[in-house]
Amino acid sequence: MSERKYRVAVVGCGLIGGKRSDVIVNDPRCELAVVVDPNEGAAKRLGERVGVPWSTSWSTVLAETPCDIVVVATPNAFLADIAVSALKGGKHVLVEKPMGRNIHEAIRMAGAATSTNQVLKVGFNHRYHPALMRAHEMYADGEIGQIINIRARYGHGGELTDQGVHVIDLISWFAGEPTEVFGYLQTAAWPIAPLEDSAFALMKFSSGALASFHTAWTQWKNMFSFEVFGTDGSVTVDGLGRSYGQETLIVAKRKKEGGAPYMSRTVYDEEDISWKLEWDDLIRGIETGRYMGTPNDGITVMRVLDAIYRASEQRTPIGLD
Ligand SMILES: NC(=O)c1ccc[n+]([C@@H]2O[C@H](COP(=O)([O-])OP(=O)(O)OC[C@H]3O[C@@H](n4cnc5c(N)ncnc54)[C@H](O)[C@@H]3O)[C@@H](O)[C@H]2O)c1
């Protein structure tokens, strides 16, 4: 740990800026220096709630307020410009997902991080849900063998660029490098065209693994289901807490002689600690260079998103090589 506290600025004082601020003010290694939002009411409300100064101008803050880390939690349209300015100003950055509006913005952010040698972390908080972390740890320890395929469902509350981003990141975290994708998009129940309220996609990986997912804004009772099937067993995560139902890890271990597998079931019913664990990982990244949600992880998701939209338009699988 460094001798003095990391000074942090949070840009964007909405739902996620508020969640991030709560974690930062409770981290003894950090000092929340300022919160920023062009909406004065939002900036003032959050600043007063967490007891720190607030501002309506991120460019003034970046120029004038000494800080080491900038959290960018604005609507997607502003993520890239603010993140790149912060990186060029010598700050480490935690930018919310998705990594900008498109692959070009993602690459621009990654380039700024490389050229300034700052940590750029993309906010993939789902990786830090305890059941998903444990599932990944079991996979990495060889407990389910080689991954054969993955099946994920997530809804409701958004389209491909919202919940789909988390699903694509989680699938790629387990299965590695995606090489080809296909998808169908549907706008059936909400007046959001050209955005979709359902996305069905297939992904193929360099290992030979396959994945399918469905993200939906028409999942009237919200749900999260993530199933990873390996040669020796499977890990399934159902629920993410609260309205998504108890976060539960179900493990099946294949019996070599066949028949019903050995089963175990663990419920994780503590409060959502993913935001705190993700913040710890950012600090680890700054101190050791090792962390998850790297620029490459973010770019992978953007490439897959871009390819699914093209695949659905062109009605053909799209290679990612
Ligand atoms: N990890 C997750 O699970 C998760 C969940 C929801 C949202 N997000 C991401 O977090 C980001 C913010 O989402 P949210 O739900 O907090 O949105 P929100 O609408 O609640 O808050 C966004 C805030 O940013 C402010 N803002 C707009 N332009 C700005 C600018 N130029 N500079 C500073 N602030 C500005 C708005 O006034 C608003 O207060 C998005 O990128 C979203 O994709 C991540």
Side-chain angles (χ1 to χ4, degrees):
M1 187 172 156
S2 66
E3 288 147 26
R4 65 166 178 76
K5 293 188 178 198
Y6 295 106
R7 293 160 303 191
V8 187
V10 169
V11 181
C13 298
L15 176 71
I16 303 299
K19 280 186 195 283
R20 298 284 184 205
S21 298
D22 287 334
V23 170
I24 297 160
V25 294
N26 284 304
D27 186 338
R29 300 165 296 184
C30 298
E31 176 196 334
L32 183 54
V34 61
V35 296
V36 190
D37 200 301
N39 176 334
E40 187 175 332
K44 185 166 184 286
R45 235 178 351 264
L46 180 59
E48 288 179 353
R49 183 169 73 71
V50 295
V52 304
W54 52 272
S55 163
T56 54
S57 165
W58 63 267
S59 52
T60 308
V61 162
L62 287 187
E64 296 175 5
T65 307
C67 67
D68 310 291
I69 304 172
V70 175
V71 175
V72 190
T74 65
N76 299 349
F78 309 104
L79 296 172
D81 283 348
I82 300 171
V84 168
S85 293
L87 289 163
K88 288 189 173 164
K91 331 286 189 213
H92 302 293
V93 168
L94 171 59
V95 67
E96 288 307 331
K97 64 83 199 164
M99 195 179 177
R101 282 172 294 189
N102 51 51
I103 184 76
H104 309 292
E105 290 192 347
I107 289 171
R108 188 153 67 88
M109 283 188 253
T114 306
S115 64
T116 57
N117 205 21
Q118 300 298 313
V119 168
L120 170 62
K121 180 170 167 60
V122 185
F124 291 134
N125 76 304
H126 287 45
R127 288 195 187 204
Y128 304 88
H129 271 265
L132 283 158
M133 288 189 91
R134 180 68 192 129
H136 193 275
E137 190 178 72
M138 293 186 80
Y139 155 60
D141 287 347
E143 297 199 35
I144 61 166
Q146 301 299 315
I147 291 179
I148 304 168
N149 50 51
I150 299 179
R151 189 166 56 202
R153 290 169 293 161
Y154 199 6
H156 71 106
E159 64 289 346
L160 201 50
T161 55
D162 189 356
Q163 292 186 319
V165 168
H166 288 299
V167 170
I168 295 166
D169 176 60
L170 290 175
I171 290 174
S172 307
W173 184 33
F174 280 82
E177 190 198 344
T179 53
E180 191 174 293
V181 303
F182 182 61
Y184 279 124
L185 308 178
Q186 184 182 44
T187 311
W190 296 97
I192 55 170
L195 294 178
E196 68 290 334
D197 51 31
S198 264
F200 287 84
L202 291 170
M203 300 170 69
K204 201 165 150 184
F205 291 83
S206 55
S207 64
L210 299 175
S212 73
F213 73 81
H214 176 203
T215 54
W217 201 356
T218 51
Q219 183 83 37
W220 305 121
K221 170 65 193 92
N222 44 352
M223 66 106 73
F224 175 85
S225 166
F226 192 81
E227 301 169 284
V228 182
F229 300 93
T231 46
D232 297 331
S234 63
V235 283
T236 296
V237 176
D238 275 340
L240 285 175
R242 301 226 251 176
S243 61
Y244 285 91
Q246 276 184 322
E247 187 173 323
T248 307
L249 172 64
I250 300 151
V251 179
K253 294 270 182 83
R254 181 181 176 188
K255 282 186 184 155
K256 291 296 174 210
E257 67 275 19
Y262 300 104
M263 299 292 298
S264 70
R265 194 171 177 277
T266 312
V267 172
Y268 296 82
D269 54 7
E270 64 260 43
E271 271 300 290
D272 181 0
I273 56 168
S274 64
W275 305 96
K276 177 181 180 331
L277 296 180
E278 186 171 39
W279 185 256
D280 289 344
D281 197 30
L282 171 70
I283 302 296
R284 186 177 311 119
I286 291 169
E287 295 181 351
T288 69
R290 287 190 305 280
Y291 63 104
M292 298 196 289
T294 62
N296 276 347
D297 294 334
I299 286 174
T300 296
V301 173
M302 299 310 286
R303 290 177 73 218
V304 171
L305 275 183
D306 181 66
I308 292 173
Y309 281 113
R310 281 191 289 136
S312 136
E313 261 171 45
Q314 297 170 18
R315 299 183 184 191
T316 184
I318 300 283
L320 294 172
D321 309 325

